């Protein structure tokens, strides 16, 4: 009967243990009764150490990394025989110390190596945040480096102490002070702890750089921003080779604005060897004395002398942005030498006078012959309007009003010149009137009266041409600003200008600026004073 039962695959002896596991228990998988022989189980694959470098060896810890111990309980009621090996020691615990660096000696047996380190492997981590354990050393690594961040994150690296001592002066001093630079025969290992770190990953990557054979290629993969972070950590732990590698790489590549600000902040907090950082400092700021006012005037002079119209307009926009108070390129906007800037203004005005004299001497009437001359006149007018904008930005434009009001020679030639040329002068007057009417220019009443007396009548003549060829001029704004500028004068002075405008508007209509709103304000003010005097007379 016994032999029959052994030969019959359908019969199975019942378990007599009251703690027998279910046939569907994961610890006791079910098998088909028709196949009594088990298939040989495949060897478990080696689990790489997550969180370590991509190509780094597996961790030496026996627990928690997929290694099945032979003493594992197979089921609640059956236990495999206990081997005669020594029991495993507990996992090393990370102390809660808040110090920046400390050395702790721990007694534990030599950890088991799952995979020896290949010298040809890269030291970069594919997923550094996956786990909090990594290993970088050779097969005899006996140093544990614990990294604790301010956010509570902890990372433990198993390293070879010799490479750390050779690379970092700070780590070498810590190991030397503890007298445990080389592990002793008992198998004890050292533990260094850095706590309160801003970025654990950057510190870990700095350690990786110590093991990299080609530092330049390793840094290229991370980029400039990461290299700046590693440079700061290398400076903290006195990793000279890392600092030199980072400085050479950063100096050789372009920077973004954020990276440049990051570098400036780092160099303000840390000091580096001048021999190595000299080229870097030369890029961050001028080493010698440099006068920004001279440079600004030189740029303005170059723009006004430009011959390409499109390029000159682009350069005008660029220089205006650099000199603006709201410039994003610098917190303290560059100053401009007022005297030298007005010298450029006088040079442009002299060029205008010579061009009008040339047109008067030739007596040019033909359109094709006057085109090059008109283009040169337009260029000088654009230069003067642009210079006026810069002067208003720097709050130095009051003298421009005086200068433009005293152009008697240009005013005389304005009446004799062709309308195609003379209306260009009214474009300058329009810029001055708009600045006065919109409160961008504050000058004395005599200066306001002088510039309006000189250029108000030419503006009435040229307004029709300005409407046809505005060249970006806002005509409605010009009308409102001109009326507001007239209202800043005395009532007696206003009366002469408004009477002149009334006659011109009655004759030419829309060919003249519409100042009816300002005219009504002047009229109301004039008769309000007359009514007030009349009331006072009758009351007395």
């Amino acid at each position: 009967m016994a032999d029959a039962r052994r030969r019959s695959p359908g019969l199975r002896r019942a378990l007599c243990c009251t703690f027998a596991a279910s046939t569907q228990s994961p610890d006791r998988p079910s098998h088909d009764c028709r196949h009594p022989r088990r298939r040989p189980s495949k060897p478990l694959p080696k689990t790489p150490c997550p969180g370590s470098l991509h190509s780094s060896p597996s961790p030496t810890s026996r627990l928690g990394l997929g290694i099945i111990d032979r003493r594992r309980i197979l089921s609640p009621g059956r236990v495999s025989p206990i081997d005669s090996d020594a029991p495993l020691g507990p996992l090393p615990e990370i102390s809660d110390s808040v110090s920046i660096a400390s050395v702790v000696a721990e007694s534990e047996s030599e950890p088991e190596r799952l995979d020896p380190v290949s010298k040809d492997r890269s030291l970069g981590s594919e997923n550094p945040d996956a786990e909090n354990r990594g290993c970088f050393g050779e097969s005899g690594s006996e140093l544990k480096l614990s990294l604790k961040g301010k956010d509570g994150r902890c990372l433990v690296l198993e390293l070879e102490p010799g490479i750390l001592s050779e690379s970092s002066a700070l780590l070498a001093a810590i190991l030397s002070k503890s007298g445990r630079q080389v592990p002793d025969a008992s198998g004890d290992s050292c533990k260094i702890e850095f706590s309160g770190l801003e970025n654990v990953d950057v510190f870990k990557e700095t350690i990786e750089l110590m093991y990299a054979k080609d530092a330049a290629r390793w840094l290229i993969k991370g980029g400039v921003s990461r290299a700046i972070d590693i440079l700061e950590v290398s400076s903290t732990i006195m990793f000279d080779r890392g600092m030199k590698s980072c400085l050479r790489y950063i100096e050789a590549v372009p920077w973004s604005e954020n990276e440049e600000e990051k570098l400036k902040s780092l160099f303000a907090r840390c000091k580096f060897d001048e021999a190595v950082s000299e080229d870097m400092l030369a890029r961050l700021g001028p080493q010698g004395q440099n006068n920004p006012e001279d440079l600004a005037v030189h740029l303005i002079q170059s723009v006004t002398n430009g011959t390409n119209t499109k390029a000159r307009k682009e350069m005008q926009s660029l220089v205006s942005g650099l000199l603006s108070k709201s410039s994003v390129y610098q917190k303290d906007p560059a100053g401009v030498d007022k005297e030298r800037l007005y010298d450029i203004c006088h040079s442009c005005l002299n060029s205008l006078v010579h061009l009008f004299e040339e047109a008067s001497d030739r007596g040019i009437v033909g359109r094709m012959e006057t085109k090059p001359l008109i283009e040169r006149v337009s260029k000088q007018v654009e230069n003067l309007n642009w210079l006026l904008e810069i002067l208003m930005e720097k709050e130095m434009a009051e003298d421009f009003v005086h200068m433009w009001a005293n152009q008697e020679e240009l005013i005389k030639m304005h009446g004799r010149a062709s309308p195609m040329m003379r209306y260009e002068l009214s474009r300058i007057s329009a810029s001055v009137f708009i600045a006065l009417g919109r409160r961008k220019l504050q000058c004395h009443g005599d200066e306001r009266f002088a510039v309006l007396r000189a250029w108000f009548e030419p503006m009435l003549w040229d307004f029709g041409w300005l409407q046809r060829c505005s060249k970006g001029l806002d005509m409605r704004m010009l009308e409102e600003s001109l009326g507001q500028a007239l209202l800043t004068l005395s009532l007696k002075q206003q009366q002469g200008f408004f009477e002149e405008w009334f006659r011109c508007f009655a004759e030419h209509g829309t060919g003249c600026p519409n100042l009816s709103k300002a005219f009504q304000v002047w009229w109301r003010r004039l008769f309000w004073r007359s009514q007030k005097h009349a009331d006072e007379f009758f009351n007395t």
Side-chain angles (χ1 to χ4, degrees):
M1 292 295 292
D3 295 338
R5 282 195 298 269
R6 282 195 297 268
R7 287 194 299 267
S8 176
L11 299 177
R12 181 181 299 272
R13 186 189 303 175
L15 294 175
C16 60
C17 181
T18 56
F19 297 96
S22 173
T23 57
Q24 301 300 324
S25 172
D27 289 330
R28 185 169 179 259
S30 62
H31 298 278
D32 193 349
C33 297
R34 292 172 295 181
H35 301 281
R37 291 186 179 181
R38 290 186 179 181
R39 294 181 181 179
S41 59
K42 296 182 180 180
L44 293 175
K46 296 180 181 180
T47 305
C49 173
S52 64
L53 307 165
H54 41 223
S55 307
S56 61
S58 302
T60 59
S61 175
R62 295 183 180 179
L63 300 179
L65 295 177
I67 303 175
I68 301 177
D69 189 60
R70 289 176 294 176
R71 299 168 297 173
R72 182 174 62 87
I73 297 177
L74 299 180
S75 67
R78 299 175 63 191
V79 180
S80 61
I82 304 298
D83 295 338
S84 59
D85 298 342
L88 291 175
L91 286 174
E93 297 182 357
I94 299 174
S95 62
D96 296 332
S97 172
V98 296
S99 60
I100 298 300
S102 61
V103 180
V104 182
E106 296 183 355
S107 176
E108 65 178 17
S109 60
E110 182 179 353
E112 180 181 351
R113 269 284 165 208
L114 299 182
D115 189 13
V117 177
S118 174
K119 295 183 177 180
D120 297 332
R121 292 181 178 179
S122 171
L123 292 173
S125 175
E126 295 179 356
N127 190 7
D129 294 332
E131 294 290 340
N132 290 334
R133 184 174 292 274
C135 41
F136 305 94
E138 299 292 339
S139 58
S141 62
E142 292 294 341
L143 173 66
K144 293 185 183 295
L145 182 63
S146 176
L147 309 177
K148 288 186 176 181
K150 290 184 177 180
D151 56 355
R153 185 185 172 198
C154 181
L155 184 67
V156 179
L157 308 177
E158 297 180 3
L159 307 164
E160 181 188 6
I163 296 179
L164 290 180
S165 300
E166 295 172 1
S167 302
S168 171
L170 176 64
L171 295 176
I174 294 174
L175 290 172
S176 177
K177 183 178 179 181
S178 66
R180 301 298 301 279
Q181 185 170 356
V182 179
D184 55 21
S186 62
D188 292 347
S189 62
C190 289
K191 179 180 177 182
I192 300 178
E193 181 179 294
F194 285 87
S195 60
L197 300 177
E198 292 286 346
N199 194 324
V200 173
D201 290 331
V202 174
F203 204 104
K204 170 179 170 287
E205 291 173 3
T206 307
I207 301 299
E208 295 176 16
L209 184 60
M210 297 180 183
Y211 292 83
K213 288 185 177 181
D214 192 345
R217 182 175 298 178
W218 191 91
L219 289 170
I220 289 173
K221 296 179 181 179
V224 176
S225 182
R226 205 59 162 176
I228 297 173
D229 295 334
I230 294 174
L231 175 61
E232 183 174 4
V233 177
S234 299
S235 174
T236 304
I237 64 176
M238 293 182 281
F239 177 25
D240 293 337
R241 183 170 60 87
M243 286 189 287
K244 292 178 181 179
S245 300
C246 291
L247 288 171
R248 279 194 293 264
Y249 165 68
I250 296 171
E251 192 278 330
V253 296
W255 310 327
S256 66
E257 291 186 13
N258 292 335
E259 291 167 349
E260 183 176 349
E261 292 298 324
K262 197 173 181 180
L263 274 174
K264 290 180 179 178
S265 175
L266 176 59
F267 273 82
R269 291 180 280 109
C270 304
K271 290 185 178 181
F272 302 94
D273 186 7
E274 293 184 2
V276 180
S277 60
E278 182 179 1
D279 295 337
M280 183 85 68
L281 293 173
R283 286 182 60 179
L284 287 173
Q287 300 299 309
Q289 294 294 332
N290 189 18
N291 191 348
E293 295 185 0
D294 294 339
L295 179 59
V297 172
H298 178 71
L299 292 176
I300 293 172
Q301 182 71 61
S302 299
V303 173
T304 55
N305 293 335
T307 56
N308 188 293
T309 303
K310 183 178 180 180
R312 190 175 65 254
K313 289 181 178 179
E314 291 182 0
M315 291 299 102
Q316 286 177 353
S317 177
L318 174 61
V319 175
S320 297
L322 294 174
L323 300 178
S324 174
K325 293 180 180 179
S326 59
S327 174
V328 298
Y329 299 100
Q330 51 187 355
K331 296 179 180 179
D332 186 16
V336 180
D337 189 340
K338 179 180 178 180
E339 184 177 353
R340 295 181 61 184
L341 193 57
Y342 272 100
D343 289 341
I344 300 176
C345 293
H346 284 291
S347 176
C348 294
L349 283 172
N350 291 335
S351 298
L352 270 179
V353 172
H354 292 322
L355 290 172
F356 273 85
E357 288 177 349
E358 181 181 349
S360 179
D361 293 340
R362 291 182 183 181
I364 297 175
V365 179
R367 181 177 180 180
M368 297 302 296
E369 295 180 359
T370 58
K371 185 175 181 180
L373 192 61
I374 292 174
E375 289 179 352
R376 286 186 285 166
V377 170
S378 178
K379 170 190 170 182
Q380 298 302 330
V381 170
E382 289 177 357
N383 286 338
L384 285 168
N385 281 334
W386 178 55
L387 292 170
L388 177 59
E389 291 178 3
I390 296 176
L391 289 170
M392 287 191 295
E393 177 71 24
K394 300 298 179 182
E395 299 180 356
M396 299 185 297
E398 290 79 9
D399 292 341
F400 189 94
V401 178
H402 176 78
M403 179 184 67
W404 186 241
N406 290 279
Q407 297 300 313
E408 297 178 359
E409 194 171 357
L410 273 177
I411 295 173
K412 291 178 181 179
M413 289 188 289
H414 177 275
R416 302 193 301 266
S418 168
M420 292 173 16
M421 287 184 60
R422 73 186 187 193
Y423 94 97
E424 294 283 353
L425 298 179
S426 291
R427 288 174 55 203
I428 303 176
S429 301
S431 298
V432 175
F433 295 156
I434 290 175
L436 290 173
R438 296 181 66 84
R439 306 174 185 176
K440 294 183 178 180
L441 265 176
Q442 295 83 34
C443 54
H444 196 267
D446 294 338
E447 299 292 342
R448 297 196 302 272
F449 176 71
V451 72
L452 285 166
R453 182 180 57 185
W455 294 101
F456 180 74
E457 184 178 357
M459 175 61 69
L460 298 180
W461 296 352
D462 298 332
F463 191 81
W465 277 89
L466 289 173
Q467 286 179 317
R468 299 186 192 98
C469 307
S470 61
K471 296 184 179 181
L473 181 64
D474 190 335
M475 302 306 297
R476 184 176 297 276
M477 183 184 296
L478 173 60
E479 291 175 330
E480 294 178 359
S481 300
L482 180 57
Q484 292 297 324
L486 290 173
L487 293 175
T488 62
L489 305 176
S490 64
L491 288 175
K492 185 177 181 180
Q493 293 171 343
Q494 293 178 37
Q495 182 173 350
F497 289 110
F498 281 118
E499 287 179 356
E500 184 178 0
W501 165 80
F502 198 89
R503 289 192 298 269
C504 182
F505 191 81
E507 183 177 352
H508 299 286
T510 56
C512 287
N514 189 350
L515 306 179
S516 57
K517 290 184 179 180
F519 181 84
Q520 294 174 21
V521 173
W522 165 74
W523 183 269
R524 184 175 65 252
R525 290 176 181 174
L526 179 66
F527 284 94
W528 174 79
R529 295 191 64 180
S530 300
Q531 184 65 33
K532 181 179 179 181
H533 289 307
D535 293 341
E536 291 178 353
F537 175 77
F538 286 111
N539 290 334
T540 56

